[in-house]
Amino acid sequence: MITWRRVFQLLIAIAIGVAVLLVYRSLGRYSLEEIEESALAIGRHRLGVAFVFVIASYLCLTGFDWLAVRYAGKPLAYRRTALASFTSLSIGHNVGMAALSSGAVRYRFYSRWGLTGEQVAKVIVFCGVTVGLGLVTLAGVALLASRGERGDLLELNGPMTILLGTACWLAPIGYLLICWRVRRPIVLHRWRFEPPPLRLAVAQIIIGTLNFACVAGCIHQLMLALSEVDYLTVATAYVTANIAALISHVPGGLGVLEATILGILPSSASIGALVVFRVLYFFVPLLMGVPTLIASEAYFRRQPPNASRQAAG
C-alpha cells in the first residue's frame, strides 16, 4: 500500500537526484584553478563587509527564536534564545533537514529552561514559518523593484516577473489577514497551526525578510569584487537557490545553492564568490557552534537538576 510517507520519501529522493545533476552540470564547467583564482581575488574590504552581513543575518535569526518563545507562551531572556538559536542553526545549516537537526539542538536548550515538548514544537514551527515568509517577501520585493526590467532573469519576461512578484506578496498579506481575523487553530490533515497575534506576525515578516536580505547582501559584496552585478538580481537568484536547497534537503544545500545561482548568473567569477560565501556563512559559524554546544552540555551536566529551569527568564 502506497502511503503519503512513501510518496514524500520518493519525492525527496528525486529532489536529491536532480540536485546532484545540477551540481555536476554547473560546477563541472570550472576548473579548480579558476575557482581558486576567483576566490583569492576578493579583497579584504569586501570580505569584511560580507562578514558584517553574516553577523547581521545571525542576529536576525536570534530574533526568530526570541519571538518564537513568546508565541509559545514561555518568554525567555534574549541571551538564552540567542544562545539556542545560534548553536542550533550554525549546526543545522550544515547538517541539512534544519527543522529536525536544529530542532533537536533547540530541544536540548529549551527543555532545560522549562519549555514542554509541545512548546518547543511551537518554537520550531514558528521559526519555519518565519523562514518561508522571509523568502517570499524578499522575492516579491526584488521582483517588483526590478519593474520587469530583468526579463532574462529566470527566463521570464517583464510582465511575468511583475506578476510573480505580486503573487509572492500575496503570502505575507494573506498571513497577516489570517493572524488578524482568525482566532482558532488552523488544521490541515495532521498539521495544526495557531495563528500568532498580529504584532508577532508583523515582526515575523520584517525580521524574516531582513535575514535573507542580509544573506543576499553578503553574496552581493563578494560578487562585486569580481564582476558587476546589482543587488536585486543577486537577491532574486539567492531566494530561488534557497528554495531549491530546501526542497532538495541536501545538507547545508551543499552545491545546490551554488548550482542554482550559477544557472541564473553564469560566471567563472561567481563560483569563487560562492565558495567564499559558504566558508563565511556556513563553515565559520559551524566552527563556533559545535564547541558552544559541547561547552553548554558540559555546563548543564554540572548544574543541579532544576537549577536551569529556575533561572530561566
Side-chain angles (χ1 to χ4, degrees):
M1 180 179 178
I2 299 177
T3 63
W4 281 109
R5 183 178 180 182
R6 293 290 185 187
V7 172
F8 181 74
Q9 290 174 341
L10 177 61
L11 291 176
I12 293 299
I14 294 173
I16 292 175
V18 172
V20 171
L21 178 62
L22 283 173
V23 172
Y24 174 77
R25 292 184 60 182
S26 296
L27 304 188
R29 294 178 294 176
Y30 308 109
S31 66
L32 183 61
E33 290 73 18
E34 287 179 310
I35 296 173
E36 182 179 2
E37 181 181 352
S38 58
L40 292 175
I42 300 174
R44 293 182 181 179
H45 172 72
R46 293 293 182 191
L47 281 173
V49 175
F51 194 64
V52 168
F53 276 115
V54 171
I55 295 172
S57 171
Y58 275 91
L59 285 174
C60 288
L61 291 172
T62 64
F64 286 23
D65 282 61
W66 189 82
L67 294 173
V69 292
R70 279 150 181 76
Y71 165 72
K74 188 70 174 181
L76 296 173
Y78 173 75
R79 67 181 183 277
R80 295 183 182 273
T81 57
L83 175 62
S85 173
F86 175 76
T87 306
S88 62
L89 292 175
S90 63
I91 296 172
H93 281 165
N94 288 275
V95 173
M97 295 291 290
L100 296 178
S101 55
S102 62
V105 179
R106 278 189 172 107
Y107 181 79
R108 295 291 293 172
F109 283 101
Y110 290 133
S111 61
R112 288 162 172 154
W113 293 330
L115 274 72
T116 64
E118 181 181 356
Q119 288 174 324
V120 175
K122 285 185 175 181
V123 168
I124 295 170
V125 170
F126 184 91
C127 291
V129 171
T130 308
V131 168
L133 290 170
L135 274 174
V136 295
T137 304
L138 180 61
V141 170
L143 289 168
L144 291 176
S146 70
R147 298 184 300 278
E149 295 174 359
R150 295 171 180 81
D152 59 327
L153 188 63
L154 303 180
E155 298 184 354
L156 297 174
N157 57 31
M160 282 300 296
T161 301
I162 295 175
L163 181 61
L164 181 59
T166 303
C168 288
W169 272 68
L170 292 178
I173 292 173
Y175 182 75
L176 290 176
L177 289 175
I178 290 173
C179 295
W180 177 39
R181 303 297 297 177
V182 178
R183 296 291 183 269
R184 63 181 186 277
I186 298 173
V187 180
L188 297 173
H189 192 47
R190 296 181 181 178
W191 189 80
R192 186 174 185 272
F193 180 70
E194 297 179 14
L198 184 59
R199 66 181 185 280
L200 285 184
V202 172
Q204 268 185 287
I205 294 172
I206 292 174
I207 200 167
T209 306
L210 281 176
N211 167 57
F212 288 109
C214 288
V215 181
C218 174
I219 299 175
H220 180 237
Q221 285 298 313
L222 295 173
M223 286 192 169
L224 275 181
L226 303 166
S227 60
E228 289 296 326
V229 60
D230 64 271
Y231 175 80
L232 292 176
T233 299
V234 172
T236 310
Y238 170 70
V239 169
T240 306
N242 212 302
I243 293 173
L246 290 173
I247 293 173
S248 71
H249 290 293
V250 172
L254 185 60
V256 180
L257 279 171
E258 292 85 346
T260 307
I261 292 178
L262 286 173
I264 300 172
L265 306 172
S267 168
S268 59
S270 297
I271 184 60
L274 293 172
V275 168
V276 175
F277 163 72
R278 181 162 292 280
V279 171
L280 292 180
Y281 195 82
F282 290 87
F283 297 160
V284 171
L286 179 65
L287 292 175
M288 299 169 63
V290 171
T292 301
L293 178 61
I294 294 172
S296 66
E297 288 291 323
Y299 171 80
F300 283 122
R301 286 180 184 276
R302 292 197 301 267
Q303 299 302 304
N306 296 319
S308 59
R309 293 192 180 205
Q310 294 172 355

